[in-house]
């Protein structure tokens, strides 16, 4: 039974009132948001790395320009999200430090390698496709700055998803070798994308409390099912096969049912032991160190402007 401030807070949430930075909030609400928003921000900037790997090898000028724009959008999403986290009284430097020291999490999906050009198609189609399904409800979450950041992010994600699906559709309709490449990318990205939504609801540590606070408007399993139901017909349309022999359409419920998910793999990757975890962190840390002169120059310039004013 909630009392006092906590009770009044929950009543505001239940009534659909948005919480803003200056409002009173329980410390655990603030901490949950800092955790989720900063993990989300880290995911955006670590998520730039697997695709960045292909910018110099995109197969045409147009594909290169499109991929560059997408990866820049992700840098922008990271910035909106770090700014949203800062409204909760944390500093961006501390958040970045937590990422670089390995303390903070980011999405498991970005610890897989991008071996061929088709992986860029698979990321846009599946990873951005999953991201949109997870993020559309977040536009209506109880914390104002997070919800507002999500509105713009979702618009850009839908362009990202389309560019990925376009790459996959073109490859799937191409030569035998191109079609094989597309199928191979789908084989490798399907299960990690299904895992992106997080553990099953029964094992979700934060799920129930975040639902009560309207930070999460749907459970992990519901969103995962929505992604599966959306993606299976898309694969059919372009003649690719979802790598799951148990996949079947339940005529009664209208849902596609999948085979078992390898949760051991998920937890291994989340704990730092996926195929690319070490490489991703090392690249981020190196970029931060090599960018020190840019930060110093920007500070020096800002000081000069201020002194001149
Ligand atoms: N990876 O209790 P829950 C993108 C952790 S999209 C790693 O269910 P929660 C766009 C979880 O943190 C990707 N860890 O947790 C893009 C918790 O650990 P903790 C980013 C995961 O928070 C596309 C523990 O497991 N999107 O970047 C994962 O209620 C293409 C227990 O789980 C977001 O972050 C995972 N997949 O629900 C960019 C969306 N799943 O913190 C570039 C916002 C769970 O206690 C290219 N976040 N864990 O140590 C959310 O909606 C939620 O945080 C969930 C997890 C749904 C991810």
């Amino acid at each position: 039974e909630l009392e006092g401030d906590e009770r009044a807070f929950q009543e505001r949430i239940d009534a659909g009132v948005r919480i803003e930075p200056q409002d009173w909030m329980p410390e655990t609400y603030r901490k949950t948001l800092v955790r989720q928003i900063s993990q989300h921000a880290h995911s955006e900037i670590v998520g730039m790395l697997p695709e960045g790997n292909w910018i110099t090898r995109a197969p045409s000028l147009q594909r290169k320009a499109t991929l560059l724009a997408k990866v820049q959008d992700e840098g922008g999403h990271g910035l909106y999200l770090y700014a949203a986290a800062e409204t909760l009284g944390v500093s961006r430097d501390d958040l970045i430090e937590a990422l670089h020291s390995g303390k903070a999490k980011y999405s498991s999906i970005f610890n897989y390698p991008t071996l061929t050009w088709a992986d860029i198609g698979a990321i846009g189609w599946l990873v951005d496709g999953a991201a949109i399904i997870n993020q559309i409800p977040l536009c209506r979450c109880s914390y104002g700055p997070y919800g507002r950041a999500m509105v713009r992010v979702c618009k850009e994600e839908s362009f990202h998803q389309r560019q990925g699906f376009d790459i996959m559709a073109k490859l799937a309709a191409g030569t035998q070798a191109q079609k094989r490449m597309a199928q191979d990318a789908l084989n490798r990205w399907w299960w990690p994308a299904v895992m992106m939504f997080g553990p099953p609801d029964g094992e979700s540590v934060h799920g129930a409390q975040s639902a009560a606070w309207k930070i999460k408007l749907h459970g992990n399993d519901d969103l995962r099912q929505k992604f599966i139901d959306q993606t299976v017909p898309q694969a059919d349309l372009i003649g690719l096969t979802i790598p799951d022999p148990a996949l079947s359409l339940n005529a009664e419920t209208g849902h596609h049912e999948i085979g078992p998910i390898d949760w051991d793999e998920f937890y291994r990757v989340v704990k730092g032991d996926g195929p690319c975890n070490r490489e991703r962190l090392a690249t981020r840390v190196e970029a931060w160190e090599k960018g020190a002169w840019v930060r110093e120059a920007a500070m020096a310039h800002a000081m000069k402007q201020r002194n001149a004013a």
Side-chain angles (χ1 to χ4, degrees):
E1 196 51 24
L2 297 175
E3 286 175 15
D5 286 343
E6 296 227 5
R7 182 164 168 187
F9 179 82
Q10 187 64 50
E11 281 168 3
R12 293 185 72 201
I13 300 258
D14 293 343
V17 175
R18 267 220 151 140
I19 306 304
E20 297 296 338
Q22 67 277 12
D23 295 340
W24 184 87
M25 60 186 81
E27 185 54 18
T28 39
Y29 176 84
R30 196 184 69 82
K31 283 216 170 105
T32 293
L33 279 169
V34 169
R35 178 186 61 79
Q36 178 167 325
I37 299 172
S38 64
Q39 285 176 359
H40 195 166
H42 299 327
S43 302
E44 295 285 352
I45 61 164
V46 176
M48 297 167 78
L49 302 175
E51 294 170 301
N53 184 33
W54 280 91
I55 289 173
T56 55
R57 290 176 287 160
S60 71
L61 183 61
Q62 201 205 336
R63 290 289 189 204
K64 180 170 176 153
T66 310
L67 182 59
L68 258 177
K70 177 186 194 288
V71 174
Q72 280 181 359
D73 285 351
E74 283 150 9
H77 297 175
L79 293 182
Y80 316 151
L81 285 161
Y82 285 122
E86 284 180 309
T87 65
L88 293 156
V90 287
S91 84
R92 194 176 302 201
D93 282 349
D94 288 346
L95 298 177
I96 300 268
E97 166 57 26
L99 172 67
H100 290 174
S101 67
K103 234 171 63 195
K105 289 196 169 82
Y106 57 87
S107 181
S108 51
I109 193 77
F110 302 116
N111 293 306
Y112 292 86
T114 41
L115 304 178
T116 73
W117 171 251
D119 290 14
I120 300 306
I123 290 180
W125 175 33
L126 303 174
V127 178
D128 287 278
I132 300 175
I133 288 177
N134 165 274
Q135 287 168 182
I136 293 270
L138 289 174
C139 296
R140 292 181 289 116
C141 84
S142 61
Y143 189 58
Y146 191 29
R148 288 189 289 273
M150 280 300 112
V151 173
R152 184 154 167 195
V153 168
C154 283
K155 287 190 177 144
E156 293 175 349
E157 297 295 21
S158 89
F159 151 67
H160 296 174
Q161 196 269 350
R162 296 293 292 267
Q163 70 85 40
F165 187 66
D166 184 63
I167 291 172
M168 288 304 257
K170 287 268 163 39
L171 287 174
T175 64
Q176 280 304 313
Q178 286 170 325
K179 185 165 184 184
R180 270 200 305 276
M181 201 191 272
Q183 182 63 52
D184 170 63
L186 173 57
N187 293 349
R188 286 180 291 105
W189 288 91
W190 171 254
W191 289 107
V194 166
M195 292 176 199
M196 266 178 82
F197 295 90
D201 293 338
E203 288 170 39
S204 166
V205 184
H206 309 286
Q209 181 60 71
S210 289
W213 279 330
K214 296 192 186 165
I215 293 171
K216 283 170 91 167
L217 295 151
H218 303 281
N220 298 355
D221 289 326
D222 276 357
L223 294 175
R224 186 176 0 260
Q225 187 61 50
K226 201 161 182 215
F227 168 74
I228 293 162
D229 288 335
Q230 170 180 296
T231 310
V232 170
Q234 293 173 344
D236 286 347
L237 184 73
I238 58 176
L240 296 181
T241 308
I242 301 282
D244 178 359
L247 185 71
S248 68
L249 179 63
N250 181 328
E252 258 168 50
T253 61
H255 291 304
H256 296 270
E257 292 173 0
I258 61 167
I261 297 174
D262 182 354
W263 290 112
D264 290 344
E265 172 178 330
F266 171 76
Y267 286 114
R268 224 174 22 248
V269 175
V270 169
K271 287 189 182 127
D273 204 18
C276 300
N277 296 59
R278 287 166 195 83
E279 183 186 332
R280 297 288 181 248
L281 264 195
T283 309
R284 278 303 324 156
V285 171
E286 191 190 341
W288 178 257
E289 285 166 359
K290 285 196 173 153
W293 70 272
V294 179
R295 294 190 298 279
E296 281 161 24
M299 287 301 281
H301 180 70
M303 292 295 260
K304 243 194 231 169
Q305 299 289 103
R306 191 183 299 163
N307 292 341

